[in-house]
mmCIF file of all heavy atoms in Angstrom:
data_model
loop_
_atom_site.group_PDB
_atom_site.id
_atom_site.type_symbol
_atom_site.label_atom_id
_atom_site.label_comp_id
_atom_site.label_asym_id
_atom_site.label_seq_id
_atom_site.Cartn_x
_atom_site.Cartn_y
_atom_site.Cartn_z
ATOM 1 N N MET A 1 -31.859 -24.298 -10.941
ATOM 2 C CA MET A 1 -30.482 -24.174 -11.382
ATOM 3 C C MET A 1 -29.713 -23.272 -10.414
ATOM 4 O O MET A 1 -30.173 -22.214 -10.029
ATOM 5 C CB MET A 1 -30.461 -23.562 -12.785
ATOM 6 C CG MET A 1 -29.119 -23.516 -13.397
ATOM 7 S SD MET A 1 -29.282 -23.099 -15.134
ATOM 8 C CE MET A 1 -27.891 -22.072 -15.324
ATOM 9 N N ARG A 2 -28.549 -23.715 -10.022
ATOM 10 C CA ARG A 2 -27.731 -22.946 -9.104
ATOM 11 C C ARG A 2 -26.989 -21.838 -9.829
ATOM 12 O O ARG A 2 -26.608 -21.974 -10.983
ATOM 13 C CB ARG A 2 -26.699 -23.836 -8.437
ATOM 14 C CG ARG A 2 -27.287 -24.766 -7.428
ATOM 15 C CD ARG A 2 -26.176 -25.452 -6.706
ATOM 16 N NE ARG A 2 -26.731 -26.218 -5.615
ATOM 17 C CZ ARG A 2 -26.015 -26.792 -4.696
ATOM 18 N NH1 ARG A 2 -24.707 -26.725 -4.755
ATOM 19 N NH2 ARG A 2 -26.583 -27.455 -3.726
ATOM 20 N N LYS A 3 -26.782 -20.759 -9.081
ATOM 21 C CA LYS A 3 -25.975 -19.677 -9.625
ATOM 22 C C LYS A 3 -24.506 -20.039 -9.509
ATOM 23 O O LYS A 3 -24.092 -20.743 -8.595
ATOM 24 C CB LYS A 3 -26.244 -18.384 -8.874
ATOM 25 C CG LYS A 3 -27.606 -17.815 -9.141
ATOM 26 C CD LYS A 3 -27.734 -16.463 -8.505
ATOM 27 C CE LYS A 3 -29.071 -15.870 -8.857
ATOM 28 N NZ LYS A 3 -29.195 -14.511 -8.338
ATOM 29 N N LYS A 4 -23.729 -19.551 -10.430
ATOM 30 C CA LYS A 4 -22.302 -19.807 -10.432
ATOM 31 C C LYS A 4 -21.633 -19.013 -9.316
ATOM 32 O O LYS A 4 -21.946 -17.851 -9.093
ATOM 33 C CB LYS A 4 -21.719 -19.382 -11.779
ATOM 34 C CG LYS A 4 -20.333 -19.849 -12.026
ATOM 35 C CD LYS A 4 -19.922 -19.533 -13.448
ATOM 36 C CE LYS A 4 -18.569 -20.117 -13.739
ATOM 37 N NZ LYS A 4 -18.151 -19.833 -15.102
ATOM 38 N N LYS A 5 -20.750 -19.649 -8.556
ATOM 39 C CA LYS A 5 -20.046 -18.988 -7.474
ATOM 40 C C LYS A 5 -18.696 -18.473 -7.973
ATOM 41 O O LYS A 5 -18.062 -19.075 -8.823
ATOM 42 C CB LYS A 5 -19.810 -19.949 -6.311
ATOM 43 C CG LYS A 5 -21.059 -20.322 -5.585
ATOM 44 C CD LYS A 5 -20.722 -21.123 -4.358
ATOM 45 C CE LYS A 5 -21.986 -21.459 -3.604
ATOM 46 N NZ LYS A 5 -21.678 -22.132 -2.332
ATOM 47 N N TYR A 6 -18.311 -17.355 -7.395
ATOM 48 C CA TYR A 6 -17.029 -16.758 -7.723
ATOM 49 C C TYR A 6 -16.217 -16.630 -6.443
ATOM 50 O O TYR A 6 -16.758 -16.413 -5.366
ATOM 51 C CB TYR A 6 -17.213 -15.374 -8.345
ATOM 52 C CG TYR A 6 -17.928 -15.423 -9.678
ATOM 53 C CD1 TYR A 6 -19.300 -15.262 -9.761
ATOM 54 C CD2 TYR A 6 -17.216 -15.645 -10.838
ATOM 55 C CE1 TYR A 6 -19.959 -15.319 -10.983
ATOM 56 C CE2 TYR A 6 -17.850 -15.704 -12.066
ATOM 57 C CZ TYR A 6 -19.226 -15.535 -12.131
ATOM 58 O OH TYR A 6 -19.859 -15.598 -13.331
ATOM 59 N N HIS A 7 -14.916 -16.745 -6.552
ATOM 60 C CA HIS A 7 -14.025 -16.622 -5.406
ATOM 61 C C HIS A 7 -13.053 -15.475 -5.663
ATOM 62 O O HIS A 7 -12.501 -15.352 -6.752
ATOM 63 C CB HIS A 7 -13.235 -17.910 -5.188
ATOM 64 C CG HIS A 7 -14.101 -19.077 -4.874
ATOM 65 N ND1 HIS A 7 -14.487 -19.375 -3.596
ATOM 66 C CD2 HIS A 7 -14.669 -20.007 -5.667
ATOM 67 C CE1 HIS A 7 -15.250 -20.445 -3.621
ATOM 68 N NE2 HIS A 7 -15.379 -20.849 -4.869
ATOM 69 N N LEU A 8 -12.874 -14.662 -4.647
ATOM 70 C CA LEU A 8 -11.899 -13.580 -4.715
ATOM 71 C C LEU A 8 -10.716 -13.941 -3.842
ATOM 72 O O LEU A 8 -10.888 -14.389 -2.710
ATOM 73 C CB LEU A 8 -12.500 -12.274 -4.201
ATOM 74 C CG LEU A 8 -13.596 -11.636 -5.029
ATOM 75 C CD1 LEU A 8 -14.127 -10.401 -4.312
ATOM 76 C CD2 LEU A 8 -13.066 -11.256 -6.389
ATOM 77 N N TYR A 9 -9.540 -13.758 -4.343
ATOM 78 C CA TYR A 9 -8.332 -13.994 -3.577
ATOM 79 C C TYR A 9 -7.710 -12.629 -3.292
ATOM 80 O O TYR A 9 -7.237 -11.946 -4.204
ATOM 81 C CB TYR A 9 -7.365 -14.893 -4.344
ATOM 82 C CG TYR A 9 -7.971 -16.256 -4.605
ATOM 83 C CD1 TYR A 9 -8.557 -16.570 -5.819
ATOM 84 C CD2 TYR A 9 -7.980 -17.214 -3.595
ATOM 85 C CE1 TYR A 9 -9.129 -17.811 -6.040
ATOM 86 C CE2 TYR A 9 -8.543 -18.460 -3.802
ATOM 87 C CZ TYR A 9 -9.123 -18.753 -5.030
ATOM 88 O OH TYR A 9 -9.690 -19.983 -5.229
ATOM 89 N N LEU A 10 -7.784 -12.228 -2.022
ATOM 90 C CA LEU A 10 -7.337 -10.901 -1.634
ATOM 91 C C LEU A 10 -6.150 -10.993 -0.690
ATOM 92 O O LEU A 10 -6.057 -11.913 0.119
ATOM 93 C CB LEU A 10 -8.471 -10.152 -0.917
ATOM 94 C CG LEU A 10 -9.784 -10.003 -1.679
ATOM 95 C CD1 LEU A 10 -10.851 -9.423 -0.761
ATOM 96 C CD2 LEU A 10 -9.595 -9.126 -2.889
ATOM 97 N N THR A 11 -5.288 -10.003 -0.774
ATOM 98 C CA THR A 11 -4.206 -9.902 0.201
ATOM 99 C C THR A 11 -4.797 -9.338 1.493
ATOM 100 O O THR A 11 -5.937 -8.865 1.533
ATOM 101 C CB THR A 11 -3.098 -8.966 -0.306
ATOM 102 O OG1 THR A 11 -3.638 -7.650 -0.428
ATOM 103 C CG2 THR A 11 -2.531 -9.430 -1.641
ATOM 104 N N ALA A 12 -4.025 -9.366 2.554
ATOM 105 C CA ALA A 12 -4.489 -8.839 3.841
ATOM 106 C C ALA A 12 -4.812 -7.351 3.731
ATOM 107 O O ALA A 12 -5.800 -6.877 4.298
ATOM 108 C CB ALA A 12 -3.432 -9.077 4.909
ATOM 109 N N GLU A 13 -4.014 -6.627 2.989
ATOM 110 C CA GLU A 13 -4.247 -5.188 2.813
ATOM 111 C C GLU A 13 -5.541 -4.931 2.042
ATOM 112 O O GLU A 13 -6.322 -4.051 2.409
ATOM 113 C CB GLU A 13 -3.063 -4.552 2.093
ATOM 114 C CG GLU A 13 -3.183 -3.062 1.931
ATOM 115 C CD GLU A 13 -1.996 -2.455 1.206
ATOM 116 O OE1 GLU A 13 -1.006 -3.163 0.983
ATOM 117 O OE2 GLU A 13 -2.080 -1.265 0.865
ATOM 118 N N GLU A 14 -5.766 -5.690 0.976
ATOM 119 C CA GLU A 14 -6.991 -5.533 0.188
ATOM 120 C C GLU A 14 -8.227 -5.897 1.014
ATOM 121 O O GLU A 14 -9.254 -5.229 0.934
ATOM 122 C CB GLU A 14 -6.940 -6.412 -1.055
ATOM 123 C CG GLU A 14 -5.915 -5.970 -2.070
ATOM 124 C CD GLU A 14 -5.681 -6.992 -3.161
ATOM 125 O OE1 GLU A 14 -5.900 -8.203 -2.929
ATOM 126 O OE2 GLU A 14 -5.265 -6.568 -4.262
ATOM 127 N N ARG A 15 -8.106 -6.949 1.807
ATOM 128 C CA ARG A 15 -9.214 -7.371 2.663
ATOM 129 C C ARG A 15 -9.547 -6.281 3.689
ATOM 130 O O ARG A 15 -10.708 -5.968 3.937
ATOM 131 C CB ARG A 15 -8.854 -8.676 3.373
ATOM 132 C CG ARG A 15 -10.013 -9.308 4.081
ATOM 133 C CD ARG A 15 -9.643 -10.639 4.712
ATOM 134 N NE ARG A 15 -9.160 -11.585 3.707
ATOM 135 C CZ ARG A 15 -7.968 -12.168 3.750
ATOM 136 N NH1 ARG A 15 -7.144 -11.940 4.737
ATOM 137 N NH2 ARG A 15 -7.605 -13.012 2.813
ATOM 138 N N ARG A 16 -8.526 -5.682 4.286
ATOM 139 C CA ARG A 16 -8.721 -4.616 5.263
ATOM 140 C C ARG A 16 -9.364 -3.386 4.616
ATOM 141 O O ARG A 16 -10.283 -2.777 5.168
ATOM 142 C CB ARG A 16 -7.370 -4.252 5.890
ATOM 143 C CG ARG A 16 -7.434 -3.324 7.043
ATOM 144 C CD ARG A 16 -6.091 -3.155 7.772
ATOM 145 N NE ARG A 16 -4.928 -3.123 6.903
ATOM 146 C CZ ARG A 16 -4.012 -4.102 6.825
ATOM 147 N NH1 ARG A 16 -4.125 -5.181 7.554
ATOM 148 N NH2 ARG A 16 -2.978 -3.990 6.026
ATOM 149 N N TYR A 17 -8.922 -3.039 3.417
ATOM 150 C CA TYR A 17 -9.478 -1.896 2.694
ATOM 151 C C TYR A 17 -10.958 -2.131 2.364
ATOM 152 O O TYR A 17 -11.791 -1.248 2.555
ATOM 153 C CB TYR A 17 -8.672 -1.664 1.407
ATOM 154 C CG TYR A 17 -9.124 -0.475 0.606
ATOM 155 C CD1 TYR A 17 -8.777 0.814 0.990
ATOM 156 C CD2 TYR A 17 -9.906 -0.630 -0.528
ATOM 157 C CE1 TYR A 17 -9.188 1.910 0.267
ATOM 158 C CE2 TYR A 17 -10.322 0.458 -1.263
ATOM 159 C CZ TYR A 17 -9.965 1.727 -0.861
ATOM 160 O OH TYR A 17 -10.384 2.805 -1.575
ATOM 161 N N LEU A 18 -11.284 -3.326 1.898
ATOM 162 C CA LEU A 18 -12.658 -3.669 1.571
ATOM 163 C C LEU A 18 -13.538 -3.666 2.814
ATOM 164 O O LEU A 18 -14.659 -3.153 2.798
ATOM 165 C CB LEU A 18 -12.707 -5.038 0.883
ATOM 166 C CG LEU A 18 -14.063 -5.530 0.416
ATOM 167 C CD1 LEU A 18 -14.702 -4.546 -0.538
ATOM 168 C CD2 LEU A 18 -13.915 -6.890 -0.241
ATOM 169 N N PHE A 19 -13.030 -4.207 3.927
ATOM 170 C CA PHE A 19 -13.787 -4.229 5.169
ATOM 171 C C PHE A 19 -14.092 -2.807 5.643
ATOM 172 O O PHE A 19 -15.212 -2.504 6.059
ATOM 173 C CB PHE A 19 -13.024 -5.005 6.241
ATOM 174 C CG PHE A 19 -13.815 -5.190 7.505
ATOM 175 C CD1 PHE A 19 -14.734 -6.218 7.602
ATOM 176 C CD2 PHE A 19 -13.631 -4.345 8.585
ATOM 177 C CE1 PHE A 19 -15.468 -6.388 8.757
ATOM 178 C CE2 PHE A 19 -14.358 -4.510 9.741
ATOM 179 C CZ PHE A 19 -15.285 -5.538 9.829
ATOM 180 N N ASN A 20 -13.107 -1.929 5.576
ATOM 181 C CA ASN A 20 -13.311 -0.535 5.994
ATOM 182 C C ASN A 20 -14.327 0.173 5.103
ATOM 183 O O ASN A 20 -15.127 0.976 5.594
ATOM 184 C CB ASN A 20 -11.994 0.224 6.016
ATOM 185 C CG ASN A 20 -11.116 -0.188 7.169
ATOM 186 O OD1 ASN A 20 -11.600 -0.672 8.178
ATOM 187 N ND2 ASN A 20 -9.811 -0.030 7.012
ATOM 188 N N ALA A 21 -14.315 -0.108 3.815
ATOM 189 C CA ALA A 21 -15.292 0.487 2.899
ATOM 190 C C ALA A 21 -16.695 -0.020 3.224
ATOM 191 O O ALA A 21 -17.662 0.761 3.230
ATOM 192 C CB ALA A 21 -14.925 0.162 1.456
ATOM 193 N N LEU A 22 -16.827 -1.313 3.504
ATOM 194 C CA LEU A 22 -18.128 -1.864 3.878
ATOM 195 C C LEU A 22 -18.615 -1.288 5.204
ATOM 196 O O LEU A 22 -19.806 -1.011 5.375
ATOM 197 C CB LEU A 22 -18.063 -3.390 3.969
ATOM 198 C CG LEU A 22 -17.981 -4.135 2.647
ATOM 199 C CD1 LEU A 22 -17.666 -5.606 2.893
ATOM 200 C CD2 LEU A 22 -19.282 -3.998 1.874
ATOM 201 N N LEU A 23 -17.714 -1.089 6.134
ATOM 202 C CA LEU A 23 -18.071 -0.516 7.423
ATOM 203 C C LEU A 23 -18.575 0.922 7.264
ATOM 204 O O LEU A 23 -19.570 1.314 7.883
ATOM 205 C CB LEU A 23 -16.872 -0.562 8.365
ATOM 206 C CG LEU A 23 -17.106 -0.142 9.799
ATOM 207 C CD1 LEU A 23 -18.143 -1.035 10.461
ATOM 208 C CD2 LEU A 23 -15.806 -0.196 10.573
ATOM 209 N N ALA A 24 -17.921 1.690 6.420
ATOM 210 C CA ALA A 24 -18.357 3.062 6.155
ATOM 211 C C ALA A 24 -19.743 3.068 5.503
ATOM 212 O O ALA A 24 -20.602 3.891 5.850
ATOM 213 C CB ALA A 24 -17.340 3.781 5.266
ATOM 214 N N TYR A 25 -19.973 2.146 4.576
ATOM 215 C CA TYR A 25 -21.271 2.048 3.915
ATOM 216 C C TYR A 25 -22.353 1.635 4.911
ATOM 217 O O TYR A 25 -23.462 2.165 4.900
ATOM 218 C CB TYR A 25 -21.198 1.062 2.750
ATOM 219 C CG TYR A 25 -22.479 0.973 1.961
ATOM 220 C CD1 TYR A 25 -23.004 2.087 1.328
ATOM 221 C CD2 TYR A 25 -23.162 -0.232 1.848
ATOM 222 C CE1 TYR A 25 -24.178 2.010 0.614
ATOM 223 C CE2 TYR A 25 -24.335 -0.323 1.141
ATOM 224 C CZ TYR A 25 -24.848 0.802 0.520
ATOM 225 O OH TYR A 25 -26.012 0.726 -0.183
ATOM 226 N N ARG A 26 -22.004 0.709 5.808
ATOM 227 C CA ARG A 26 -22.952 0.261 6.840
ATOM 228 C C ARG A 26 -23.329 1.420 7.748
ATOM 229 O O ARG A 26 -24.500 1.611 8.077
ATOM 230 C CB ARG A 26 -22.330 -0.869 7.649
ATOM 231 C CG ARG A 26 -23.241 -1.420 8.711
ATOM 232 C CD ARG A 26 -22.531 -2.545 9.473
ATOM 233 N NE ARG A 26 -23.408 -3.132 10.448
ATOM 234 C CZ ARG A 26 -23.555 -2.667 11.693
ATOM 235 N NH1 ARG A 26 -22.845 -1.624 12.082
ATOM 236 N NH2 ARG A 26 -24.389 -3.247 12.526
ATOM 237 N N ASN A 27 -22.346 2.233 8.151
ATOM 238 C CA ASN A 27 -22.616 3.393 8.996
ATOM 239 C C ASN A 27 -23.511 4.403 8.288
ATOM 240 O O ASN A 27 -24.379 5.019 8.909
ATOM 241 C CB ASN A 27 -21.312 4.049 9.440
ATOM 242 C CG ASN A 27 -20.559 3.183 10.427
ATOM 243 O OD1 ASN A 27 -21.136 2.327 11.093
ATOM 244 N ND2 ASN A 27 -19.253 3.395 10.505
ATOM 245 N N LYS A 28 -23.310 4.561 6.985
ATOM 246 C CA LYS A 28 -24.148 5.468 6.202
ATOM 247 C C LYS A 28 -25.594 4.976 6.174
ATOM 248 O O LYS A 28 -26.526 5.770 6.332
ATOM 249 C CB LYS A 28 -23.589 5.558 4.778
ATOM 250 C CG LYS A 28 -24.352 6.454 3.857
ATOM 251 C CD LYS A 28 -23.711 6.473 2.469
ATOM 252 C CE LYS A 28 -24.578 7.192 1.477
ATOM 253 N NZ LYS A 28 -24.003 7.131 0.138
ATOM 254 N N LEU A 29 -25.777 3.670 5.983
ATOM 255 C CA LEU A 29 -27.126 3.099 5.980
ATOM 256 C C LEU A 29 -27.789 3.259 7.344
ATOM 257 O O LEU A 29 -28.989 3.575 7.424
ATOM 258 C CB LEU A 29 -27.084 1.618 5.585
ATOM 259 C CG LEU A 29 -26.734 1.299 4.143
ATOM 260 C CD1 LEU A 29 -26.628 -0.209 3.955
ATOM 261 C CD2 LEU A 29 -27.764 1.874 3.197
ATOM 262 N N LEU A 30 -27.042 3.029 8.414
ATOM 263 C CA LEU A 30 -27.587 3.191 9.758
ATOM 264 C C LEU A 30 -28.033 4.633 10.004
ATOM 265 O O LEU A 30 -29.073 4.875 10.615
ATOM 266 C CB LEU A 30 -26.561 2.774 10.813
ATOM 267 C CG LEU A 30 -26.351 1.273 10.988
ATOM 268 C CD1 LEU A 30 -25.166 1.014 11.908
ATOM 269 C CD2 LEU A 30 -27.603 0.616 11.523
ATOM 270 N N ALA A 31 -27.252 5.588 9.534
ATOM 271 C CA ALA A 31 -27.596 7.001 9.702
ATOM 272 C C ALA A 31 -28.881 7.352 8.966
ATOM 273 O O ALA A 31 -29.635 8.222 9.399
ATOM 274 C CB ALA A 31 -26.444 7.879 9.218
ATOM 275 N N GLN A 32 -29.137 6.654 7.857
ATOM 276 C CA GLN A 32 -30.355 6.880 7.082
ATOM 277 C C GLN A 32 -31.534 6.078 7.613
ATOM 278 O O GLN A 32 -32.648 6.222 7.126
ATOM 279 C CB GLN A 32 -30.126 6.510 5.615
ATOM 280 C CG GLN A 32 -29.118 7.370 4.911
ATOM 281 C CD GLN A 32 -28.821 6.854 3.512
ATOM 282 O OE1 GLN A 32 -29.278 5.798 3.106
ATOM 283 N NE2 GLN A 32 -28.028 7.629 2.774
ATOM 284 N N GLY A 33 -31.277 5.208 8.586
ATOM 285 C CA GLY A 33 -32.334 4.390 9.150
ATOM 286 C C GLY A 33 -32.730 3.221 8.272
ATOM 287 O O GLY A 33 -33.846 2.717 8.362
ATOM 288 N N ARG A 34 -31.821 2.772 7.427
ATOM 289 C CA ARG A 34 -32.092 1.663 6.513
ATOM 290 C C ARG A 34 -31.494 0.376 7.048
ATOM 291 O O ARG A 34 -30.675 0.378 7.951
ATOM 292 C CB ARG A 34 -31.523 1.994 5.130
ATOM 293 C CG ARG A 34 -32.195 3.235 4.535
ATOM 294 C CD ARG A 34 -31.554 3.694 3.267
ATOM 295 N NE ARG A 34 -31.667 2.684 2.231
ATOM 296 C CZ ARG A 34 -31.008 2.736 1.085
ATOM 297 N NH1 ARG A 34 -30.209 3.742 0.829
ATOM 298 N NH2 ARG A 34 -31.151 1.794 0.199
ATOM 299 N N TYR A 35 -31.930 -0.734 6.485
ATOM 300 C CA TYR A 35 -31.453 -2.049 6.902
ATOM 301 C C TYR A 35 -30.019 -2.288 6.436
ATOM 302 O O TYR A 35 -29.629 -1.878 5.355
ATOM 303 C CB TYR A 35 -32.349 -3.155 6.343
ATOM 304 C CG TYR A 35 -33.741 -3.134 6.914
ATOM 305 C CD1 TYR A 35 -34.824 -2.743 6.152
ATOM 306 C CD2 TYR A 35 -33.967 -3.518 8.231
ATOM 307 C CE1 TYR A 35 -36.108 -2.714 6.683
ATOM 308 C CE2 TYR A 35 -35.241 -3.507 8.765
ATOM 309 C CZ TYR A 35 -36.304 -3.106 7.999
ATOM 310 O OH TYR A 35 -37.560 -3.076 8.530
ATOM 311 N N THR A 36 -29.266 -3.015 7.259
ATOM 312 C CA THR A 36 -27.866 -3.300 6.950
ATOM 313 C C THR A 36 -27.604 -4.792 6.848
ATOM 314 O O THR A 36 -26.450 -5.214 6.864
ATOM 315 C CB THR A 36 -26.943 -2.707 8.031
ATOM 316 O OG1 THR A 36 -27.249 -3.325 9.282
ATOM 317 C CG2 THR A 36 -27.099 -1.207 8.146
ATOM 318 N N ASP A 37 -28.642 -5.591 6.754
ATOM 319 C CA ASP A 37 -28.507 -7.045 6.772
ATOM 320 C C ASP A 37 -27.545 -7.569 5.707
ATOM 321 O O ASP A 37 -26.676 -8.391 6.003
ATOM 322 C CB ASP A 37 -29.866 -7.720 6.590
ATOM 323 C CG ASP A 37 -30.830 -7.389 7.726
ATOM 324 O OD1 ASP A 37 -30.367 -6.911 8.773
ATOM 325 O OD2 ASP A 37 -32.035 -7.610 7.541
ATOM 326 N N LEU A 38 -27.688 -7.107 4.487
ATOM 327 C CA LEU A 38 -26.839 -7.624 3.404
ATOM 328 C C LEU A 38 -25.382 -7.228 3.581
ATOM 329 O O LEU A 38 -24.476 -8.034 3.343
ATOM 330 C CB LEU A 38 -27.364 -7.144 2.049
ATOM 331 C CG LEU A 38 -28.739 -7.676 1.658
ATOM 332 C CD1 LEU A 38 -29.192 -7.056 0.349
ATOM 333 C CD2 LEU A 38 -28.721 -9.177 1.562
ATOM 334 N N VAL A 39 -25.167 -6.004 4.017
ATOM 335 C CA VAL A 39 -23.794 -5.550 4.245
ATOM 336 C C VAL A 39 -23.170 -6.364 5.381
ATOM 337 O O VAL A 39 -22.006 -6.765 5.304
ATOM 338 C CB VAL A 39 -23.756 -4.036 4.560
ATOM 339 C CG1 VAL A 39 -22.346 -3.585 4.873
ATOM 340 C CG2 VAL A 39 -24.322 -3.238 3.407
ATOM 341 N N ASP A 40 -23.962 -6.627 6.424
ATOM 342 C CA ASP A 40 -23.468 -7.441 7.544
ATOM 343 C C ASP A 40 -23.065 -8.831 7.082
ATOM 344 O O ASP A 40 -22.027 -9.353 7.493
ATOM 345 C CB ASP A 40 -24.532 -7.551 8.637
ATOM 346 C CG ASP A 40 -24.823 -6.223 9.313
ATOM 347 O OD1 ASP A 40 -23.956 -5.330 9.258
ATOM 348 O OD2 ASP A 40 -25.925 -6.092 9.893
ATOM 349 N N GLU A 41 -23.866 -9.436 6.224
ATOM 350 C CA GLU A 41 -23.555 -10.781 5.716
ATOM 351 C C GLU A 41 -22.248 -10.794 4.926
ATOM 352 O O GLU A 41 -21.438 -11.706 5.068
ATOM 353 C CB GLU A 41 -24.699 -11.297 4.834
ATOM 354 C CG GLU A 41 -25.932 -11.685 5.610
ATOM 355 C CD GLU A 41 -27.022 -12.197 4.704
ATOM 356 O OE1 GLU A 41 -26.704 -12.748 3.628
ATOM 357 O OE2 GLU A 41 -28.193 -12.040 5.076
ATOM 358 N N VAL A 42 -22.044 -9.778 4.102
ATOM 359 C CA VAL A 42 -20.816 -9.705 3.305
ATOM 360 C C VAL A 42 -19.615 -9.517 4.219
ATOM 361 O O VAL A 42 -18.561 -10.135 4.011
ATOM 362 C CB VAL A 42 -20.905 -8.576 2.255
ATOM 363 C CG1 VAL A 42 -19.574 -8.387 1.548
ATOM 364 C CG2 VAL A 42 -21.997 -8.863 1.256
ATOM 365 N N MET A 43 -19.771 -8.699 5.252
ATOM 366 C CA MET A 43 -18.669 -8.461 6.187
ATOM 367 C C MET A 43 -18.313 -9.754 6.930
ATOM 368 O O MET A 43 -17.128 -10.037 7.145
ATOM 369 C CB MET A 43 -19.046 -7.362 7.182
ATOM 370 C CG MET A 43 -19.095 -5.987 6.554
ATOM 371 S SD MET A 43 -19.743 -4.703 7.643
ATOM 372 C CE MET A 43 -18.423 -4.552 8.806
ATOM 373 N N ILE A 44 -19.304 -10.547 7.292
ATOM 374 C CA ILE A 44 -19.042 -11.821 7.967
ATOM 375 C C ILE A 44 -18.319 -12.772 7.038
ATOM 376 O O ILE A 44 -17.351 -13.428 7.425
ATOM 377 C CB ILE A 44 -20.361 -12.430 8.479
ATOM 378 C CG1 ILE A 44 -20.904 -11.598 9.640
ATOM 379 C CG2 ILE A 44 -20.165 -13.877 8.907
ATOM 380 C CD1 ILE A 44 -22.307 -11.958 10.061
ATOM 381 N N LYS A 45 -18.766 -12.858 5.789
ATOM 382 C CA LYS A 45 -18.109 -13.744 4.828
ATOM 383 C C LYS A 45 -16.678 -13.298 4.542
ATOM 384 O O LYS A 45 -15.802 -14.132 4.307
ATOM 385 C CB LYS A 45 -18.907 -13.805 3.530
ATOM 386 C CG LYS A 45 -20.183 -14.601 3.672
ATOM 387 C CD LYS A 45 -20.885 -14.744 2.360
ATOM 388 C CE LYS A 45 -22.153 -15.565 2.552
ATOM 389 N NZ LYS A 45 -22.789 -15.882 1.289
ATOM 390 N N LEU A 46 -16.457 -12.022 4.562
ATOM 391 C CA LEU A 46 -15.121 -11.489 4.311
ATOM 392 C C LEU A 46 -14.153 -11.876 5.434
ATOM 393 O O LEU A 46 -12.969 -12.091 5.191
ATOM 394 C CB LEU A 46 -15.180 -9.964 4.182
ATOM 395 C CG LEU A 46 -13.915 -9.234 3.794
ATOM 396 C CD1 LEU A 46 -13.460 -9.680 2.411
ATOM 397 C CD2 LEU A 46 -14.164 -7.745 3.800
ATOM 398 N N GLN A 47 -14.644 -12.009 6.651
ATOM 399 C CA GLN A 47 -13.791 -12.346 7.794
ATOM 400 C C GLN A 47 -13.430 -13.828 7.847
ATOM 401 O O GLN A 47 -12.495 -14.195 8.537
ATOM 402 C CB GLN A 47 -14.480 -11.935 9.097
ATOM 403 C CG GLN A 47 -14.592 -10.445 9.254
ATOM 404 C CD GLN A 47 -13.241 -9.757 9.243
ATOM 405 O OE1 GLN A 47 -12.318 -10.179 9.920
ATOM 406 N NE2 GLN A 47 -13.121 -8.709 8.456
ATOM 407 N N LYS A 48 -14.167 -14.671 7.159
ATOM 408 C CA LYS A 48 -13.893 -16.112 7.192
ATOM 409 C C LYS A 48 -12.697 -16.484 6.358
ATOM 410 O O LYS A 48 -12.325 -15.907 5.426
ATOM 411 C CB LYS A 48 -15.098 -16.906 6.711
ATOM 412 C CG LYS A 48 -16.238 -16.846 7.681
ATOM 413 C CD LYS A 48 -17.338 -17.717 7.243
ATOM 414 C CE LYS A 48 -18.472 -17.686 8.259
ATOM 415 N NZ LYS A 48 -19.562 -18.520 7.896
#
């Protein structure tokens, strides 16, 4: 059974704010030496 998909409709400002928050979280994970694969995937999807 497939999971239900959800779509977010964001303004350019909201998208930029979310991207910056994800980037800060990614930098925090890198500083801790942890994997950033999932955050990277979300950031790529956000740019599409």
Side-chain angles (χ1 to χ4, degrees):
M1 186 169 142
R2 288 188 173 189
K3 290 187 176 184
K4 192 173 185 180
K5 290 187 178 185
Y6 295 94
H7 297 273
L8 292 176
Y9 298 98
L10 303 172
T11 64
E13 183 180 351
E14 292 169 334
R15 190 177 301 122
R16 189 171 38 250
Y17 182 78
L18 183 57
F19 186 83
N20 287 335
L22 287 170
L23 186 60
Y25 184 60
R26 181 180 183 273
N27 290 338
K28 180 180 171 184
L29 290 175
L30 285 171
Q32 295 173 354
R34 298 173 63 191
Y35 294 109
T36 62
D37 297 344
L38 295 176
V39 177
D40 294 338
E41 287 181 28
V42 173
M43 289 172 71
I44 290 170
K45 287 185 179 187
L46 185 62
Q47 292 301 313
K48 290 185 178 181

